[in-house]
Every structure is written in structure tokens, then in C-alpha cells.
Amino acid sequence: YLTHYLPVQRNLSSNTIRSYRDTFKLLLIFCRDEKGLNIAKLTLSKLDKKCIEDYLLWLTDARGSSPSTYNQRLCAIHAFFDYVMTEEPSYMEHCLQILKIPSMVAPTPQAKYMTPENLKLLLSMPDVSTKKGRRHLVLLTVLYDTAARVSELVNIRLRDIRLDFPAVITLHGKGGKVRTVPLMKQTAGLLQGYLQENHIDLRATPELPLFWNGRRHKLTRSGVTYIVQKYAEMAQELSTGMPTKISPHVFRHTKAMHLVQANVNPVYIKDYLGHADISTTEVYARADNEAKRAVLEKATAHLDLPKASHW
């Protein structure tokens, strides 16, 4: 299931497969430690609806899993028993009982994003007088300008970059999806300087990652997160208006929100972000507080409300 069906037949990403793997690893730990079962002799018949429900309850109570994590684990379990049902029809009733376990209802979290002023402050934090600072500035700028997921950013290779006009970067997203996004002139200029400073030839080393660590291997997701949080903390010391938690994904939300505020067609934003459904993109329009304020002010303009006093 994990080594052939998911990667070959379903063509799921390595990150998704790891998430599924971790779900079943935790399930085995639960069966061993909480149920007292010998996992070397564990059979499907013992993984009944009651066992799975107890496992999900254990995730919430003992491990403090959030509703989104709960639903993610349940989704992995549903996918597995759906697979079992097709491979072994004799387990159909057994699997159907587990597939009936409902997801946990959870409020949709509002997208966190930075205002243009906050973004400008954060991008001014790297020390551009040093080589490392210039490299980090390029990384943060590309992260924002492309609205890339952190997994997409670390997988950018030199063959994915075209700096000739019009400059673009090709991103390899979830589920093997590929999209090409345009770059602003400033970003293309920063990338050109970055490549020249590091004596990188796009054509000579097409498989080299754009951002690498000390061992010349591509940066890890945690490496990018460390860089982002480092400069976010510096910016937070200078401004109380900065969001309290800034992750690499906040840059993606920020780019999407800025596109919404610029009245870009939602269809274009959907393609830019690589969303499968436009309803996902509409989340940003609903979270645009500035647009809400402008509409409310316009709606109440005729009321001639009292103006603020000099004090």
C-alpha cells in the first residue's frame, strides 16, 4: 500500500505518503501500548470500528491533536480501508463501518498574512553587506514573489529558472502538478546577481538546487523555516504590528492577499497558486479586512457620522 499503490497507482507526493505512514505508525503504537496487542500478530479483524474510534480519541486526548490533524489521520485511515475493500471484498462490511466514521467539525482558520508595510520591514532585515544576508534576501523574495509552498521552493532547480524576458520559474507542486509563475523585474535582478556572485551557470549545472546548505544539498523545509523565523523575530522587535507567528506559508498567503487587494481576477490567482478549486482561492477574498472596511465606510457615508475630535 505504501510502497507501490500510493506512489505508483495514486501518484501521491512523498510528503503525503509520509503523512499516511505516520498515521499507521501511531496506530501501531496505540494498539501496542493502549490496547496491549502484539503488533507482530495484528490482523485486520482487530482493527474494527471501535478500535479506530478509540485511536482517534487517543490522538485528541493523549496527544492533543487539533481537529485538522484528527481529520488528516482519519482521511489516511479511510483511504487505506477503501483500498482494502477493493483488494479483499470479503472485508467489505468491516471497511464500510470504518468509512462511516465522520470527520470532526472544525472552524476554518483565517489566512494569516502581512501588510505591504510588514513585508517591506521583514525584507529589510537581512544584512545585504554579507553574502549570507544577500542569499537570504533572495530566498525570502522568491518565496513571496512566486507564492511557492515551502516544498516547492526547496525543489526549485536551475533548470526551472528562466531569467530572459519574461522571467519565470517553474514550480513542482503537490500531486506532481507543475505550474509556471512570472517573476517581477526586481526579483529577476536579485536572482541574476545571486547566480553571478556564486559563479553559477544555469546551463552548465541544470540539476543544481537554487538554494542549498553547507553540504551543497538542497535546503530542507526546516532550514527555510529557520531562516524565515530568524528575520521575523528581528522584525517583530521593531514593530508591534507584525504577526506573531510567521511561517514560510504566510508568504504564500501574503502574495495571494496582495493579488486580491489589487483586484486581480480570481481565476488568475487560482492558477498562480496552483489551487485545484477556485473555492480555495475565495478564502482570501473573505479574509480581506481592508476591503470590508472600505465597503462599510462607503455604505455609511450618507449617515454623516460625527468626526473624531482633535484629541
Side-chain angles (χ1 to χ4, degrees), residues 87 123 126 128 140 168 212 224 252:
E87 292 293 316
L123 292 179
V128 294
L140 296 175
V168 296
W212 61 83
V224 175
R252 178 174 167 85

Side-chain angles (χ1 to χ4, degrees), residues 11-25:
N11 193 30
L12 297 185
S13 69
S14 57
N15 290 330
T16 301
I17 295 172
R18 278 196 290 269
S19 175
Y20 281 31
R21 176 205 64 190
D22 292 344
T23 296
F24 291 106
K25 180 179 178 180

Side-chain angles (χ1 to χ4, degrees), residues 128-191:
V128 294
S129 65
T130 66
K131 186 175 181 179
K132 178 182 286 188
R134 291 189 291 273
R135 171 172 166 266
H136 289 171
L137 176 61
V138 174
L139 184 148
L140 296 175
T141 305
V142 171
L143 185 62
Y144 165 75
D145 197 17
T146 61
R149 301 177 179 91
V150 65
S151 58
E152 295 170 343
L153 181 79
V154 299
N155 285 321
I156 296 175
R157 299 190 178 274
L158 298 186
R159 58 179 164 79
D160 299 320
I161 303 170
R162 189 185 77 186
L163 296 179
D164 298 332
F165 183 82
V168 296
I169 281 185
T170 300
L171 300 175
H172 301 268
K174 296 193 295 185
K177 297 176 183 176
V178 178
R179 70 183 189 280
T180 300
V181 296
L183 294 175
M184 293 187 298
K185 291 181 180 179
Q186 299 94 322
T187 307
L190 283 173
L191 275 171

Side-chain angles (χ1 to χ4, degrees), residues 277-288:
D277 192 333
I278 198 168
S279 63
T280 309
T281 311
E282 290 171 350
V283 170
Y284 298 105
R286 292 195 293 271
D288 187 2

Side-chain angles (χ1 to χ4, degrees), residues 1-2 15-31 47 52 55-56 58-59 63 68-81:
Y1 177 70
L2 291 172
N15 290 330
T16 301
I17 295 172
R18 278 196 290 269
S19 175
Y20 281 31
R21 176 205 64 190
D22 292 344
T23 296
F24 291 106
K25 180 179 178 180
L26 288 171
L27 177 58
L28 292 176
I29 292 173
F30 167 78
C31 290
L47 296 177
I52 298 300
Y55 164 63
L56 294 170
W58 174 75
L59 288 177
R63 294 184 57 85
S68 60
T69 301
Y70 176 101
N71 291 336
Q72 187 181 30
R73 302 300 185 201
L74 179 58
C75 178
I77 290 171
H78 279 173
F80 173 70
F81 282 96

Side-chain angles (χ1 to χ4, degrees), residues 58-234:
W58 174 75
L59 288 177
T60 304
D61 294 345
R63 294 184 57 85
S65 296
S66 65
S68 60
T69 301
Y70 176 101
N71 291 336
Q72 187 181 30
R73 302 300 185 201
L74 179 58
C75 178
I77 290 171
H78 279 173
F80 173 70
F81 282 96
D82 188 60
Y83 163 80
V84 170
M85 190 167 58
T86 57
E87 292 293 316
E88 292 291 339
S90 59
Y91 281 95
M92 183 171 293
E93 182 60 31
H94 179 92
C95 295
L96 286 174
Q97 290 298 318
I98 294 173
L99 291 172
K100 289 179 181 178
I101 299 175
S103 300
M104 183 183 291
V105 177
T108 303
Q110 191 173 27
K112 295 181 180 179
Y113 63 96
M114 293 179 280
T115 63
E117 294 75 20
N118 287 340
L119 177 67
K120 185 176 180 180
L121 176 62
L122 195 150
L123 292 179
S124 68
M125 290 298 99
D127 183 2
V128 294
S129 65
T130 66
K131 186 175 181 179
K132 178 182 286 188
R134 291 189 291 273
R135 171 172 166 266
H136 289 171
L137 176 61
V138 174
L139 184 148
L140 296 175
T141 305
V142 171
L143 185 62
Y144 165 75
D145 197 17
T146 61
R149 301 177 179 91
V150 65
S151 58
E152 295 170 343
L153 181 79
V154 299
N155 285 321
I156 296 175
R157 299 190 178 274
L158 298 186
R159 58 179 164 79
D160 299 320
I161 303 170
R162 189 185 77 186
L163 296 179
D164 298 332
F165 183 82
V168 296
I169 281 185
T170 300
L171 300 175
H172 301 268
K174 296 193 295 185
K177 297 176 183 176
V178 178
R179 70 183 189 280
T180 300
V181 296
L183 294 175
M184 293 187 298
K185 291 181 180 179
Q186 299 94 322
T187 307
L190 283 173
L191 275 171
Q192 188 69 56
Y194 169 72
L195 296 176
Q196 290 176 354
E197 182 176 23
N198 290 278
H199 309 290
I200 299 172
D201 186 346
L202 290 176
R203 298 177 181 176
T205 53
E207 295 302 318
L208 186 71
L210 177 60
F211 301 111
W212 61 83
N213 56 25
R215 298 192 301 273
R216 303 288 284 191
H217 296 160
K218 70 176 184 179
L219 271 180
T220 61
R221 295 155 59 100
S222 58
V224 175
T225 301
Y226 170 79
I227 293 170
V228 168
Q229 291 180 346
K230 170 185 175 181
Y231 293 112
E233 290 172 0
M234 293 171 62

